[in-house]
Amino acid sequence: MAYHNSEEYTDEELEFTYEGNDYWWQGDIEVNEEGDNGDWDTQGYSELEASITYTHRLCIFNVENADWVTIKINDELKQVIEQEFAKKL
């Protein structure tokens, strides 16, 4: 039997490393899960997709100053954040 679930997460925080840099993101994200429970003769499956709905802040750690620096989000980092958030669920 097919199903679809959607959940909104607000004021979430995520720390991650990408291409050797440490990042910290704070914002709102929506997670959609689609799948099928399967049947007596078929295996079920589930797929998660996360989509940022709002970014409060995105920072990169500046090693020289030993401090977080706010940066603008771009499409590449948006995808990385969405993938990293989906992994932690």
Side-chain angles (χ1 to χ4, degrees), residues 2 22 24 28 36 49 70 74 86:
D22 293 326
W24 176 74
D28 303 340
D36 191 306
E49 182 179 297
T70 301
N74 61 31

Side-chain angles (χ1 to χ4, degrees), residues 5-23:
N5 296 321
S6 182
E7 189 166 350
E8 180 80 23
Y9 296 84
T10 56
D11 286 331
E12 288 293 315
E13 295 184 16
L14 180 68
E15 286 189 42
F16 63 98
T17 301
Y18 178 66
E19 293 188 346
N21 296 305
D22 293 326
Y23 292 90

Side-chain angles (χ1 to χ4, degrees), residues 54-69:
Y54 184 75
T55 295
H56 299 290
R57 183 176 300 135
L58 175 63
C59 299
I60 187 170
F61 190 75
N62 183 318
V63 177
E64 292 175 10
N65 298 335
D67 199 8
W68 293 99
V69 177

Side-chain angles (χ1 to χ4, degrees), residues 24-77:
W24 176 74
W25 172 84
Q26 180 185 28
D28 303 340
I29 195 162
E30 181 179 18
V31 177
N32 292 301
E33 180 182 19
E34 292 188 12
D36 191 306
N37 293 332
D39 209 347
W40 68 273
D41 62 345
T42 60
Q43 184 175 350
Y45 71 93
S46 176
E47 293 180 16
L48 286 178
E49 182 179 297
S51 300
I52 292 174
T53 55
Y54 184 75
T55 295
H56 299 290
R57 183 176 300 135
L58 175 63
C59 299
I60 187 170
F61 190 75
N62 183 318
V63 177
E64 292 175 10
N65 298 335
D67 199 8
W68 293 99
V69 177
T70 301
I71 61 173
K72 290 188 176 196
I73 194 166
N74 61 31
D75 289 339
E76 182 178 359
L77 285 173

